[in-house]
Amino acid sequence: MTADTQRVPGAGTAGDTDGGTRPRHPAPRLAAGVFQGVAGAGMLVMPAVVHGLAGPSAPLLWGAHVALGAAVALLLTLLARTGLPPMPLAAAVGSVLGRTSQRCVDLAYTIGFSAGQAALAWFAAQSVVAAVAEDGHAAAWLGPVVAFGVLGVGFVLALLDVPTPPALLRLRLPVVGLLAFACAAAAWPAAAPGSALTPASVPGAAAAAGIALLVLYFAGVGWESVTDLVPRTKAGPGVTLAGVALGASAVAAVYLPLAWLYGAAAGRPEGTPPGWLRYALSTALLAVITSYCFTNIRAAGRIVARVTGSTDPGARRRQLAVVGLLCAAFATAGALPGSVVWLLLLPACAATVGYVMGAVAAFRRIGNVTRWLAWPLVVALAAVVEPIRLLLLG
């Protein structure tokens, strides 16, 4: 889930993507757009969360996630190539299934975005608390203060509509990538059992793997960016397919090494990194995650505007206030064990709703051409309900 779009909820980014000159050839341009849509804050959060749930099998789950995400992107590409103009996923769904379906997708993304920001804020808080706790200075009030502080700063920046220079947005993604690899190499923050990154109990390894696979969609929101990108490229089917495949390969080339690196570092006997590194990584995480909360809260406000249909400039503050209240409400659950996982389930479910409805729209629009892909994809996405049921029963 990355940033300003829908092309949002997300871990993706339209309005605030690269902002610069893209490659002229359609395939690299499409690949860059897919990668920028998917890559984002999920690179920071998900290695620790997935490792805490699935342990050594985490890289396999990342591989399954990329394969499923690429299938989603391919299916939505087929939908976008039926003559639709460049538009967000919700609008593409609405153009086929009706206005009510569009609002359902937008509403799901609004809730998912709000919970996602609470998860990001508590992830940053977990890092700060863990860094301080190693020196014996942890306090019960520190986590909530950091989490609500991150959300508060992000909300105020969105409310003030602070400009985001394109050069700064172009720089953020490589900075996040470098920080993600640094955190993975140090296995920081550690996914200790019973912490905010790991539920106190999970009913079995299969359920934990299923939950991890679903939660990974926080990192995978952005595959839907093709509904905006593909019509803009106006490329033929072969070039379009090559661009989507290249973008998925780039995502795999980043996420799979991150998963492996975190697992390898977590298995080392040295324990937590030295104090100076803990504080440096936590400070960097705090700054970067605050920037994502800012752009994502602003993006969520735009989704609320689509849900309400309001074009009144004065309504913008009210729309952001709705998002801010939702973020604060979700953040109140942050002190519970495994709270980050619980909160990440909501944006992951929002992505699942959007992708399932996108698959149905593609099936309706294209018919038998997509049957071989649409129905298996719908079944695979809907199957993630089972691990949630097991977790709730546990």
Side-chain angles (χ1 to χ4, degrees):
M1 187 165 196
T2 37
D4 235 346
T5 141
Q6 180 152 308
R7 260 179 59 195
V8 207
T13 51
D16 283 349
T17 46
D18 62 5
T21 302
R22 295 175 182 264
R24 290 185 178 180
H25 193 275
R29 183 173 61 190
L30 184 55
V34 170
F35 177 78
Q36 291 164 3
V38 176
M43 291 190 290
L44 301 173
V45 178
M46 299 316 299
V49 170
V50 176
H51 180 82
L53 286 168
S57 62
L60 295 177
L61 295 178
W62 280 91
H65 162 71
V66 172
L68 188 56
V72 168
L74 175 60
L75 182 59
L76 295 179
T77 294
L78 296 177
L79 173 63
R81 285 186 54 81
T82 60
L84 296 181
M87 59 175 63
L89 172 62
V93 168
S95 68
V96 179
L97 303 180
R99 177 67 175 165
T100 300
S101 297
Q102 177 176 344
R103 286 186 171 178
C104 285
V105 174
D106 274 333
L107 183 60
Y109 274 62
T110 299
I111 295 171
F113 247 62
S114 302
Q117 305 328 297
L120 286 177
W122 272 102
F123 180 83
Q126 170 72 23
S127 179
V128 172
V129 169
V132 173
E134 289 294 326
D135 295 334
H137 301 305
W141 51 265
L142 183 58
V145 166
V146 173
F148 280 93
V150 168
L151 290 174
V153 171
F155 175 75
V156 170
L157 292 175
L159 198 62
L160 297 175
D161 200 16
V162 175
T164 47
L168 184 62
L169 292 171
R170 285 197 300 271
L171 181 64
R172 182 169 68 173
L173 189 57
V175 168
V176 170
L178 291 173
L179 178 59
F181 275 96
C183 288
W188 185 259
S195 70
L197 305 183
T198 312
S201 63
V202 177
I211 295 164
L213 187 58
L214 172 58
V215 168
L216 270 171
Y217 263 94
F218 174 81
V221 173
W223 295 109
E224 77 278 9
S225 60
V226 293
T227 62
D228 180 74
L229 293 167
V230 169
R232 293 184 187 279
T233 61
K234 300 178 181 178
V239 173
T240 301
L241 178 60
V244 173
L246 188 59
S249 300
V251 171
V254 171
Y255 280 168
L256 293 180
L258 274 176
W260 175 85
L261 189 59
Y262 189 98
R268 290 198 298 258
E270 297 91 294
T272 58
W276 67 269
L277 184 56
R278 294 197 309 270
Y279 286 106
L281 292 176
S282 297
T283 301
L285 283 172
L286 199 59
V288 169
I289 285 175
T290 300
S291 80
Y292 272 105
C293 284
F294 157 44
T295 54
N296 286 340
I297 287 173
R298 184 172 62 184
R302 294 171 183 168
I303 300 175
V304 173
R306 289 203 297 270
V307 173
T308 60
S310 174
T311 57
D312 177 12
R316 179 180 166 276
R317 290 179 180 271
R318 294 194 297 272
Q319 293 153 1
L320 285 173
V322 169
V323 176
L325 289 173
L326 283 173
C327 290
F330 286 124
T332 58
L336 300 174
S339 59
V340 170
V341 176
W342 284 105
L343 290 169
L344 288 176
L345 283 173
L346 290 173
C349 287
T352 302
V353 168
Y355 293 165
V356 167
M357 295 189 74
V360 173
F363 181 76
R364 286 278 299 274
R365 184 91 172 190
I366 309 173
N368 291 333
V369 176
T370 57
R371 181 173 294 175
W372 61 276
L373 182 60
W375 286 120
L377 185 58
V378 170
V379 171
L381 291 170
V384 298
V385 174
E386 178 62 13
I388 296 179
R389 184 186 68 83
L390 292 174
L391 180 59
L392 291 173
L393 291 177

